[in-house]
Amino acid sequence: IQLTQSPSLLSASVGDRVTLSCKGSQNINNYLAWYQQKLGEAPKLLIYNTNSLQTGIPSRFSGSGSGTDYTLTISSLQPEDVATYFCYQYNNGLTFGSGTKLEIK
Amino acid sequence: EVQLVESGGGLVQPGRSLKLSCVASGFTFSNYGMNWIRQAPGKGLEWVAYISSGSSYIYYAETVKGRFTISRDNAKNTLYLQMTSLRSEDTALYYCARAYTPDYWGQGVMVTVSS
């Protein structure tokens, strides 16, 4: 399964509601996770099974979706959210999306 | 505290071999499947290989199948990646990560394939 993330680059203001998209080439059956990678750091798991928040992750992060289309939403963008976000499917094989780089405007 | 510490990286010539290790602590290593995931400089994440907790299930990305071998020693809490016939496109930061949906990651070890 191939994953296509959009946009590849997103600029938004502090406090904005931000939506990142991940689209699979086949049905992912909700086996979809989201990772945040800050510059120079290892990725961090944010969301698994489409909408389950990993322990310790702020509640402004949420996930949704079904079938082939999935979304990560940040309800109120904070400066510390600057990072690249990757989706990851584990329904059929294991694959990462190409990433969305999130910047502060 | 869960810790994963990779080692064994370095500069290697094309066609040569290298073996990476990842020592785990802070959890019961034998209860978890483990992954190797890599990231080429300035690029995205690429899953490389997975091994189940008891080594019964092993999967590889097509890009490394037949060249890389993942293994583990549960008595030593250590994950391995034997890499052979290395190519320039294998140059990357290699992470070990816990579980089928990776929840903990090491800091990575750099592998550079160049003549």
Side-chain angles (χ1 to χ4, degrees), chain B residues 1-43:
Chain B
E1 179 194 4
V2 173
Q3 283 198 319
L4 298 168
V5 180
E6 303 95 338
S7 63
L11 174 63
V12 61
Q13 293 179 329
R16 303 298 291 265
S17 299
L18 202 61
K19 187 172 186 176
L20 306 182
S21 299
C22 169
V23 176
S25 61
F27 66 101
T28 304
F29 181 70
S30 59
N31 286 352
Y32 288 86
M34 298 292 295
N35 295 276
W36 286 101
I37 295 162
R38 68 185 181 184
Q39 188 168 34
K43 301 297 184 182

Side-chain angles (χ1 to χ4, degrees), chain A residues 33 35 37 40-45 47-49 54 86 88 90-91 93-98, chain B residues 35 37 39 43-47 49-50 59 93 95 99-108:
Chain A
Y35 291 87
Q37 187 178 32
E41 298 183 5
K44 178 191 295 185
L45 177 64
I47 301 282
Y48 61 96
N49 293 347
Q54 176 70 349
F86 296 95
Y88 169 79
Y90 41 104
N91 177 60
L94 302 170
T95 45
F96 287 94
S98 54
Chain B
N35 295 276
I37 295 162
Q39 188 168 34
K43 301 297 184 182
L45 300 168
E46 180 187 15
W47 169 78
Y50 169 84
Y59 309 115
L93 186 65
Y95 294 102
Y100 202 66
T101 309
D103 55 358
Y104 286 92
W105 299 56
Q107 284 305 302

Side-chain angles (χ1 to χ4, degrees), chain A:
Chain A
I1 296 178
Q2 294 183 337
L3 298 177
T4 301
Q5 289 189 244
S6 61
S8 55
L9 175 64
L10 179 58
S11 294
S13 300
V14 172
D16 281 355
R17 182 181 182 87
V18 171
T19 299
L20 285 63
S21 174
C22 178
K23 185 175 179 65
S25 58
Q26 301 173 29
N27 188 351
I28 295 171
N29 287 312
N30 294 114
Y31 292 110
L32 194 284
W34 290 93
Y35 291 87
Q36 176 193 65
Q37 187 178 32
K38 296 182 179 180
L39 196 62
E41 298 183 5
K44 178 191 295 185
L45 177 64
L46 301 175
I47 301 282
Y48 61 96
N49 293 347
T50 297
N51 56 16
S52 295
L53 193 66
Q54 176 70 349
T55 303
I57 301 302
S59 59
R60 64 180 180 274
F61 291 93
S62 64
S64 62
S66 63
T68 59
D69 296 323
Y70 297 82
T71 299
L72 174 70
T73 299
I74 306 173
S75 60
S76 178
L77 186 65
Q78 300 301 304
E80 60 267 31
D81 299 335
V82 168
T84 300
Y85 292 82
F86 296 95
C87 57
Y88 169 79
Q89 72 81 25
Y90 41 104
N91 177 60
N92 184 352
L94 302 170
T95 45
F96 287 94
S98 54
T100 292
K101 187 175 182 179
L102 179 58
E103 300 179 337
I104 298 292
K105 194 181 295 183

